[in-house]
């Protein structure tokens, strides 16, 4: 489900071959470029993932084929199997290992989960920037790698500073240095970014202006895709949507492996309609069952709040209506089929249908986007971190798209005004401003008859 941060409604929820990018020195006409792109498209449409060692469309030498990164223990145990079934077992074993690790992270609590998200973010950024670094390395562009990591530091300082202020508001206001940093946090963040911006301008080299601006844009798009989405994951700490993406990935692979016959999209030749449809129905059913189970536990439905008295996080509350069983009338058309007139379920289960539907129908397009990106640079995976799966980015390409949807969905359909944040802002005002708000609110409540009824009671 979703470990809630502090908002009442938020409780819902590859190895790199070394590439050489030899850009032509002269200008390419539109006609020539169109011919080259057409030939490249025709070749890509017919090739499979294993054909990624073909000659780079940039005119450089072919990437070196990726070596087998499967652990020797698995290689010996699966040596008698065909490559198809060997890959199936390798992916299956490591998938179970990753799921086990995921449950351990959930058990260890929100702080560990935030730390892991941060580590994943850094690794994904490294995998994408490494592709650009090959360009830097080939042309000896100054400061590209240093500036990329500097901008990552700046963006994380901005996002995590906002999160820390939100979580530890009372503690921050109590310590003078932290209070100053919190008050001028956005100005400091902007000043840090401007420093990197000026460093980039000073690093511009004649004859490489266009390429340097291209890499500048590369870094910023990577920050937008990776860091911003990671912040949304931390902001909501959702479990059900993450689990739905994992379930869809597994079930789509299983259905495609055993029943796949019809290709789904040219960007990913191994994806099939059978896997896509099977993954959809499996994910929706999984989302309903998982949300039903987790709605019954306060540790999954209550907000994670920082207790200033004990200096620790607490998870304790009276569950909201989203996580209380309610009775719903079944449509007349379906009553004859199921034999029931009413059904008892958690309201959050209805939201889980929307989340699981997005995870299975739209979420895979994040993977297709990543596939197109990899095919554009003639690489099979972003890295070889996880044997049989590729890099960390290969596993999280759909999660980042899901993170944005969850944040938008919660803000649009679930989360309302947050009283705790209003109180935090109220306490930072001057005494005269607090008195003015108090008198205005009191007069408003008296006019509506609410304050009088409370006093009579």
């Amino acid at each position: 489900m979703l470990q809630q941060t502090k908002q009442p409604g938020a409780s819902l929820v590859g190895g790199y071959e070394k590439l050489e990018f030899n850009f032509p020195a002269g200008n390419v006409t539109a006609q020539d470029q169109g011919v080259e792109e057409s030939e490249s498209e025709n070749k890509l449409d017919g090739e499979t993932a294993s054909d990624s060692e073909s000659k780079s469309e940039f005119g450089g030498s072919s990437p070196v084929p990726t070596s087998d990164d499967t652990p020797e223990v698995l290689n010996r145990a699966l040596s008698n199997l065909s490559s198809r079934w060997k890959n199936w077992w390798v992916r299956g074993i490591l998938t179970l290992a990753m799921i086990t690790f995921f449950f351990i992270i959930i058990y260890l609590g929100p702080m560990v989960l935030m730390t892991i998200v941060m580590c994943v973010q850094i690794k994904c950024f490294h995998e994408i920037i490494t592709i650009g670094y090959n360009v830097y390395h080939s042309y000896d562009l100054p400061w590209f790698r240093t500036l990329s990591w500097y901008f990552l530091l700046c963006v994380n300082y901005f996002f995590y500073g906002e999160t820390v202020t939100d979580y530890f508001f009372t503690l921050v206001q109590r310590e003078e240095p932290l209070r100053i940093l919190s008050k001028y946090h956005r100005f400091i963040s902007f000043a840090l970014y401007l420093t990197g911006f000026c460093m980039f301008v000073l690093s511009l080299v004649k004859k490489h202006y266009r390429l340097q601006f291209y890499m500048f844009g590369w870094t910023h798009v990577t920050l937008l895709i990776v860091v911003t989405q990671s912040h949304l994951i931390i902001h909501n700490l959702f479990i059900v949507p993450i689990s739905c993406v994992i379930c869809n990935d597994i079930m789509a692979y299983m259905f495609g492996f055993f029943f796949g016959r019809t290709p789904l999209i040219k960007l990913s030749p191994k994806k099939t309609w059978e896997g896509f449809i099977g993954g959809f129905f499996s994910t929706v059913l999984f989302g309903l069952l998982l949300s039903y189970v987790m709605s019954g536990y306060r540790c999954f439905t209550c907000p994670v709040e920082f207790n200033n008295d004990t200096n620790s996080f607490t998870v304790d509350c009276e569950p909201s209506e989203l996580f209380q069983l309610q009775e719903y009338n079944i449509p007349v058309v379906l009553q004859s089929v199921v034999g029931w007139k009413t059904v008892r379920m958690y309201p959050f289960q209805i939201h889980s249908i929307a989340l699981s539907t997005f995870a299975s129908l739209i979420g895979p397009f994040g993977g297709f986007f990543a596939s197109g990106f990899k095919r554009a640079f003639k690489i099979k995976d972003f890295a070889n971190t996880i044997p049989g799966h590729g890099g960390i980015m290969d596993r999280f390409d759909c999660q980042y798209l899901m993170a944005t949807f969850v944040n938008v969905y919660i803000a649009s359909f679930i989360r309302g005004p947050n009283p705790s944040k209003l109180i935090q802002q109220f306490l930072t005002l001057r005494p005269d401003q607090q008195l003015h708000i108090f008198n205005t609110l009191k007069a408003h409540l008296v006019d509506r008859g609410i304050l009088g009824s409370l006093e009579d009671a």
Side-chain angles (χ1 to χ4, degrees), residues 256-326:
F257 185 87
F258 290 105
F259 309 108
R261 295 292 183 274
T262 312
L264 175 63
I265 185 171
K266 291 182 178 180
L267 284 174
S268 297
K270 295 183 179 180
K271 299 290 192 301
T272 63
W273 275 104
E274 290 81 2
F276 186 74
I277 296 173
F280 165 69
F281 286 106
S282 301
T283 304
V284 172
L285 180 61
F286 172 81
L288 282 170
L289 295 176
L290 182 64
S291 58
Y292 178 83
V293 172
M294 302 185 79
S295 293
Y297 295 89
R298 292 191 178 187
C299 59
F300 295 119
T301 60
C302 289
V304 178
E305 296 181 337
F306 183 77
N307 190 317
N308 295 290
D309 298 328
T310 61
N311 289 327
S312 62
F313 286 98
T314 59
V315 182
D316 188 24
C317 69
E318 186 65 29
S320 67
E321 293 183 357
L322 278 174
F323 308 107
Q324 296 179 11
L325 282 171
Q326 297 184 21

Side-chain angles (χ1 to χ4, degrees), residues 144-145 223 231 244 357 391 433 453:
F144 165 67
R145 195 174 190 180
L223 292 172
H231 173 70
C244 285
T357 298
Q433 293 175 322
S453 61

